[in-house]
Amino acid sequence: MKKIIAISILILFLIHPLIYAQIKSQNNNIWLHYVGKNKVSKKTYLTLEATMRYANGFKEKQQYFVRPSVDYQVNKTLLASIGYTHYNTFVYGNPALNKRPIPENHLWVQTNFTHQIGAFRLTNRFRDENRWVGLATLKPNSSEYIIGDYAYRNRLRYMPMVTFPVLKHEKSTVINGFLGDEAFINIGKNAGATLFNQNRLILGLGYVISKKSQIQLSYIKQRIWNLTDTIEETNPTLRVSYLTNLDFTKN
């Protein structure tokens, strides 16, 4: 276990980008987030995740996505998933990353390794995303941008996360804390100019309403690099999450 923790901490420090874009900008984000995990058999879950994201308070739409998946509990520590995500990223910020709203579709596979070490739960999540990203091109004889085609890109995501109790009542956790970092790594021939597509430092608290539901409040420092590495965003982000965990195998 100690080796796992040491390796995770080492990767956490190594994944922070050392590349600097030409233009830097900042947006103050608010993300509204939902995750519903539904047990449908002894080892199988159907999960739906969705979010609506805003930039600079609620002034500008940043992005939304819908992400259904099928999850299989291979053993006590390993959860394997396959899923689909549909994104739409809006025009926001100054300078803006996009010329027009950009649709994006993903097919992805994921592994989630969880280890309990005393009161601490260590999770290492790996995801391989196959991305089809809309390309904005000028409409002939017009200043309007349209989505004329889609480009295939590949991205790896790695997130170590530590969760721990902050407040207990009668041996049950009422408030938990969590700390992690997620790196988005560009790979393949259409990867772009930077190794990193994004990086997110995550710190938050969760209030356990019941065994079936939880509310989380997170601070996220989001960094984004555009494809050509001409713009870098550093976005302080407040995320409000509602999590549900339902068991449909029980009568």
Side-chain angles (χ1 to χ4, degrees):
M1 296 299 178
K2 291 182 179 179
K3 290 183 178 179
I4 293 174
I5 295 175
I7 292 171
S8 298
I9 292 173
L10 177 62
I11 294 174
L12 182 64
F13 282 101
L14 289 177
I15 60 180
H16 282 280
L18 298 175
I19 304 168
Y20 296 91
Q22 294 176 5
I23 300 174
K24 297 181 184 293
S25 66
Q26 178 176 306
N27 303 282
N28 299 306
N29 298 337
I30 298 175
W31 295 356
L32 306 178
H33 181 226
Y34 168 75
V35 182
K37 186 176 181 181
N38 305 289
K39 188 175 183 179
V40 294
S41 74
K42 184 178 179 180
K43 292 189 174 185
T44 307
Y45 301 83
L46 299 179
T47 299
L48 176 64
E49 183 177 2
T51 195
M52 185 67 210
R53 295 171 173 171
Y54 297 89
N56 302 307
F58 290 103
K59 292 180 180 178
E60 300 176 275
K61 292 180 180 179
Q62 184 190 44
Q63 185 185 71
Y64 74 77
F65 73 70
V66 179
R67 179 181 290 142
S69 67
V70 178
D71 316 302
Y72 184 76
Q73 193 73 51
V74 178
N75 54 42
K76 187 177 180 180
T77 61
L78 173 60
L79 181 71
S81 304
I82 183 169
Y84 163 80
T85 310
H86 172 71
Y87 288 88
N88 196 50
T89 304
F90 297 95
V91 179
Y92 69 92
N94 185 24
L97 290 176
N98 301 324
K99 301 294 186 182
R100 58 144 292 152
I102 300 296
E104 187 170 339
N105 297 290
H106 294 187
L107 290 175
W108 51 269
V109 292
Q110 177 178 287
T111 56
N112 205 321
F113 296 91
T114 303
H115 297 85
Q116 193 73 32
I117 307 169
F120 295 86
R121 185 172 74 250
L122 174 64
T123 302
N124 285 282
R125 190 181 78 183
F126 300 86
R127 182 183 296 167
D128 183 358
E129 293 180 328
N130 298 280
R131 310 167 62 204
W132 287 268
V133 182
L135 299 178
T137 56
L138 276 172
K139 188 176 181 180
N141 303 316
S142 171
S143 60
E144 179 187 357
Y145 281 86
I146 60 173
I147 302 299
D149 200 359
Y150 284 78
Y152 172 76
R153 297 172 191 164
N154 197 192
R155 182 171 72 184
L156 299 179
R157 294 171 61 168
Y158 169 60
M159 183 177 70
M161 178 77 72
V162 177
T163 305
F164 48 91
V166 174
L167 179 65
K168 287 191 172 186
H169 177 68
E170 296 180 353
K171 297 183 179 181
S172 296
T173 300
V174 178
I175 297 177
N176 57 52
F178 48 91
L179 172 66
D181 191 281
E182 185 170 20
F184 297 58
I185 302 170
N186 293 315
I187 61 173
K189 63 180 181 179
N190 296 321
T194 60
L195 174 62
F196 289 88
N197 170 256
Q198 286 191 47
N199 193 80
R200 298 176 186 171
L201 177 64
I202 306 165
L203 174 66
L205 293 172
Y207 173 65
V208 180
I209 302 170
S210 68
K211 291 182 178 179
K212 296 181 179 179
S213 62
Q214 181 177 154
I215 294 175
Q216 292 182 348
L217 185 64
S218 309
Y219 168 77
I220 301 172
K221 183 178 180 181
Q222 181 196 39
R223 297 177 70 187
I224 307 175
W225 292 262
N226 68 342
L227 186 69
T228 56
D229 192 27
T230 55
I231 300 173
E232 177 190 338
E233 289 186 8
T234 301
N235 301 328
T237 299
L238 179 68
R239 182 178 69 187
V240 181
S241 303
Y242 180 56
L243 285 63
T244 61
N245 191 351
L246 304 179
D247 188 348
F248 290 100
T249 65
K250 295 180 179 180
N251 295 325

